[in-house]
Amino acid sequence: MLKRLDKIRFRGQRTDVFLDLGDSPNTSDTECSEEILMKPRPSLEIKDTEELQDPAGPGTLTMAAVTIQDYQRAETDRLNDLKGHLEIALLEKHFLQEELRKLREETNVDTLKQELEKERSKRLDLEQKLNLEKETMYSWLQAWLYNRFGAYIGDFHFQTEENIVEPEEPLSAKRLTENMRRLKRGAKPVINFKRNLFALSSWQSVYTSAFAFIIYMNAAWHGWAIPMFIFLAILRLSLNYLISRGWRIQWSIVPGVSEPVEPPKEDLTVSEKFQLVLDVAQKAQNLFGKMADVLEKIKNLFMWVHPEITQKLYVGLWVALICSCLIPYKLMGLYAGIKFFIIDFMFRSCPKLRDKYDTPHIIWTSLPTDPQLKERGGATLSRRIHPAVAHGSLGTALPCGISLEEQTGRAYNTKKGAFHEVFNLSGDERPLTVCENGWRCCLINRDRKSPTDYIRNGVLFVTENYLCFESSSCRSNSSKKNKVIKLIDITDIQKYKVLSVLPGSGMGISIATPSTQKPLVFGAMIHRDEAFDAIFTQYTKKVTMTTATNPET
């Protein structure tokens, strides 16, 4: 653009004649007004020259005319320069407008904007369609997976386990009898299986035991012991299926023992029903005692309660581990067969040989139960105390006015420890002379619904200020299940008959306190009258002393 302007500016010799501003393209009102103001200026200068003619002489006029011409020439040059610059500016404006028009025609911004908007709308439509397709595909896939695997995935939903307390049934003689019968029926297959194994090992049927021994040893030698046991399990299930379908298949190594037929309940008298309940309770007691003995022996074996016996088990496990790594399983299976069929038979037939060399039998019979450990601990403590008493160590330490019996009474110990520690009482509280060993009874708390809390066996003591019941449960090493009642808190004490069907006045004592809704009953007391007289006498004495010291109470 600048090159074009230079060519226009210096295209030829400068002329004093220029185009009229009105003829130039795109002239503005301002440019025309400047031309109009500048045109009359030469006439004014001529008029002024005429007025300035000096009458003094031509020389002066000549000089004045020259001066005026020079001035006019300078003004003319200045006007020509201004005109040139104005023309150049107009031309530049013209060319710029042409270039702008060409650029607008070439670029066409509006069309581009419209096309851009169209493309943008297309892109938005495509994105919406794509998102819709994705959502449709995702929802379809999710629905398919839920219908296919929803039930299985729901099983892996993690949630906090709620501790649901099942309602416990109250104590009932009928329910107890029925549960014992159910237990007997459920344990019958296990007992029969155990009897059959014992019969095989004891060779009660020589032909059957010999046949089983040969088959087992052959299977163990060829490595078929495990498949043989699996086949026997399948065979037993097949026989059970046929029996359930009505087949009469009866086969057992041990001859069946006919069980006595129980008379119908309608034919039982009141005394027979009561005797039935006692028999069921006795069976339950013996069964629970045997189960407790087994569990306690296993616990004591693994907890190093008897270190010598547990040490044998420890060494035996290490030997078994080394043998399992070095000796083939075939030989171990053969040893198991010889042990079951021959060695155990020899030990059962020769008890002296068994007591000397049967290590499992020796370990099991030597394991103590928790009551045996407590008896041993009590015997050890008594052996430690008696020599000291014999040497007069306690007699020298007795204070004046206190006998040996009173001192030993203060140091009275229950089966679970010192008397005051068991019941959380002060050290001067001890049982009265009439109940130093306590009265065996059972506490019936009719406010409780749980069978374990409803009836608890134990021993009842009475002191100068308290009535104490020590529970005989092995789990009540703490004082949680023991009962301590202040004599002054007793509101009523009476003789009580637990079972109204029995003859006599009963074998219980009923004690009411403000803390219980129903009176506590101490039943099954053989010396009920003696215990009642001692408790009532001490209770009356305590209430009298309290009333004397505090009449308002």
Side-chain angles (χ1 to χ4, degrees):
M1 179 65 67
L2 295 176
K3 291 180 179 180
R4 290 182 183 179
L5 294 176
D6 292 338
K7 289 180 181 180
I8 294 171
R9 187 181 298 174
F10 303 104
R11 185 175 296 173
Q13 296 181 355
R14 253 184 216 179
T15 58
D16 295 335
V17 181
F18 291 94
L19 293 174
D20 191 4
L21 294 176
D23 298 335
S24 61
N26 298 326
T27 57
S28 61
D29 297 338
T30 306
E31 295 168 354
C32 295
S33 63
E34 290 178 354
E35 183 182 3
I36 292 170
L37 292 174
M38 294 169 65
K39 280 183 178 182
R41 191 172 183 85
S43 61
L44 286 173
E45 293 176 356
I46 296 171
K47 186 177 180 180
D48 292 337
T49 54
E50 291 177 356
E51 291 178 354
L52 291 174
Q53 290 180 359
D54 190 2
T60 304
L61 294 175
T62 304
M63 293 174 63
V66 172
T67 303
I68 290 169
Q69 290 179 357
D70 293 336
Y71 177 75
Q72 289 178 353
R73 191 178 298 109
E75 291 293 328
T76 303
D77 293 338
R78 190 169 64 84
L79 287 174
N80 291 334
D81 291 336
L82 291 174
K83 284 176 122 181
H85 289 295
L86 181 59
E87 184 179 359
I88 291 170
L90 293 174
L91 290 174
E92 288 178 356
K93 180 180 178 182
H94 175 70
F95 287 122
L96 289 175
Q97 289 178 350
E98 288 294 328
E99 291 292 333
L100 181 61
R101 183 179 60 79
K102 290 180 180 180
L103 288 174
R104 287 179 178 176
E105 291 178 356
E106 291 177 358
T107 56
N108 198 359
V109 178
D110 296 335
T111 306
L112 291 176
K113 287 182 179 180
Q114 293 177 359
E115 292 179 356
L116 182 62
E117 291 295 334
K118 290 180 180 179
E119 294 294 332
R120 187 177 297 173
S121 61
K122 289 181 180 179
R123 182 179 62 83
L124 294 176
D125 295 338
L126 290 175
E127 287 181 355
Q128 291 179 358
K129 291 180 180 179
L130 184 61
N131 292 333
L132 184 61
E133 291 179 359
K134 286 182 178 180
E135 291 177 358
T136 306
M137 189 68 180
Y138 177 74
S139 60
W140 176 82
L141 181 61
Q142 186 178 9
W144 182 80
L145 290 174
Y146 181 78
N147 295 330
R148 186 78 175 178
F149 305 102
Y152 304 102
I153 296 174
D155 296 337
F156 292 94
H157 178 66
F158 292 94
Q159 59 183 2
T160 56
E161 185 178 359
E162 298 179 358
N163 295 326
I164 301 174
V165 180
E166 297 181 357
E168 298 181 354
E169 298 181 0
L171 182 63
S172 173
K174 180 180 178 181
R175 189 65 174 172
L176 179 61
T177 306
E178 183 63 26
N179 289 339
M180 287 299 299
R181 290 174 180 170
R182 290 171 55 197
L183 179 63
K184 187 176 181 180
R185 290 193 299 268
K188 186 176 180 180
V190 179
I191 295 173
N192 291 337
F193 179 74
K194 185 179 178 181
R195 286 177 180 175
N196 291 331
L197 289 180
F198 182 78
L200 280 176
S201 178
S202 301
W203 294 75
Q204 293 183 5
S205 177
V206 179
Y207 297 104
T208 305
S209 298
F211 182 72
F213 176 72
I214 293 171
I215 292 178
Y216 174 79
M217 296 299 289
N218 187 25
W221 177 256
H222 292 88
W224 298 341
I226 295 177
M228 182 190 69
F229 289 125
I230 296 175
F231 173 75
L232 291 176
I234 295 173
L235 181 62
R236 181 73 258 183
L237 286 176
S238 301
L239 293 176
N240 292 339
Y241 173 75
L242 295 177
I243 292 172
S244 64
R245 301 295 294 180
W247 289 47
R248 293 184 179 181
I249 302 175
Q250 293 181 356
W251 178 84
S252 177
I253 301 174
V254 181
V257 179
S258 60
E259 298 181 356
V261 180
E262 297 180 357
K265 296 181 180 180
E266 291 76 7
D267 299 337
L268 295 178
T269 61
V270 176
S271 60
E272 289 176 347
K273 290 182 179 179
F274 180 71
Q275 186 63 35
L276 178 62
V277 172
L278 292 180
D279 293 340
V280 171
Q282 183 180 5
K283 291 180 181 179
Q285 174 184 338
N286 297 334
L287 177 63
F288 293 153
K290 292 179 181 179
M291 293 174 61
D293 291 341
V294 173
L295 296 177
E296 286 175 358
K297 284 187 176 184
I298 295 173
K299 184 259 295 182
N300 295 333
L301 176 63
F302 288 97
M303 295 304 295
W304 293 83
V305 175
H306 204 294
E308 296 178 356
I309 299 176
T310 309
Q311 186 177 3
K312 294 180 181 180
L313 174 65
Y314 187 74
V315 175
L317 290 176
W318 275 108
V319 173
L321 176 63
I322 295 172
C323 293
S324 63
C325 296
L326 300 178
I327 300 176
Y329 288 99
K330 183 189 298 184
L331 298 179
M332 296 179 66
L334 293 175
Y335 170 76
I338 295 172
K339 175 72 170 59
F340 180 78
F341 286 99
I342 298 176
I343 298 177
D344 288 348
F345 172 72
M346 295 296 295
F347 284 153
R348 290 192 186 97
S349 302
C350 304
K352 293 182 179 180
L353 191 65
R354 183 179 188 180
D355 295 337
K356 289 182 179 180
Y357 301 105
D358 192 1
T359 304
H361 174 73
I362 295 172
I363 290 176
W364 184 255
T365 54
S366 301
L367 280 172
T369 59
D370 289 348
Q372 292 175 354
L373 290 174
K374 291 178 182 179
E375 291 177 0
R376 292 178 185 179
T380 304
L381 181 62
S382 63
R383 284 196 300 268
R384 292 178 182 177
I385 293 175
H386 285 305
V389 175
H391 288 85
S393 59
L394 288 177
T396 57
L398 293 177
C400 297
I402 299 178
S403 63
L404 180 62
E405 294 180 357
E406 293 176 352
Q407 182 67 20
T408 54
R410 268 195 192 90
Y412 180 83
N413 294 332
T414 64
K415 291 183 178 181
K416 297 181 176 63
F419 184 87
H420 65 280
E421 293 179 357
V422 171
F423 296 104
N424 296 326
L425 301 176
S426 59
D428 56 352
E429 288 290 337
R430 62 184 180 85
L432 299 179
T433 307
V434 70
C435 63
E436 287 183 351
N437 296 324
W439 298 296
R440 298 291 303 178
C441 65
C442 63
L443 173 59
I444 302 174
N445 190 350
R446 291 180 291 180
D447 291 341
R448 303 295 181 90
K449 296 181 179 180
S450 174
T452 57
D453 295 332
Y454 185 83
I455 296 179
R456 283 180 282 170
N457 295 322
V459 183
L460 183 65
F461 301 92
V462 59
T463 65
E464 295 180 358
N465 301 307
Y466 297 92
L467 185 65
C468 305
F469 175 80
E470 181 185 11
S471 177
S472 60
S473 176
C474 60
R475 295 177 296 176
S476 60
N477 293 329
S478 62
S479 59
K480 292 182 178 179
K481 291 193 174 182
N482 297 334
K483 193 73 175 178
V484 179
I485 304 172
K486 286 185 178 182
L487 293 177
I488 59 174
D489 292 339
I490 296 175
T491 58
D492 186 21
I493 176 171
Q494 296 178 2
K495 294 181 180 180
Y496 189 81
K497 188 176 181 181
V498 180
L499 298 175
S500 59
V501 296
L502 295 179
S505 60
M507 301 172 63
I509 298 175
S510 173
I511 295 177
T513 60
S515 61
T516 57
Q517 296 179 358
K518 298 180 180 179
L520 299 174
V521 177
F522 297 92
M525 297 178 68
I526 298 176
H527 305 284
R528 193 275 306 272
D529 296 333
E530 178 186 355
F532 179 82
D533 294 337
I535 296 171
F536 187 80
T537 302
Q538 188 64 26
Y539 165 74
T540 307
K541 180 180 177 182
K542 190 64 181 175
V543 171
T544 304
M545 293 174 60
T546 305
T547 306
T549 56
N550 191 0
E552 296 179 358
T553 305

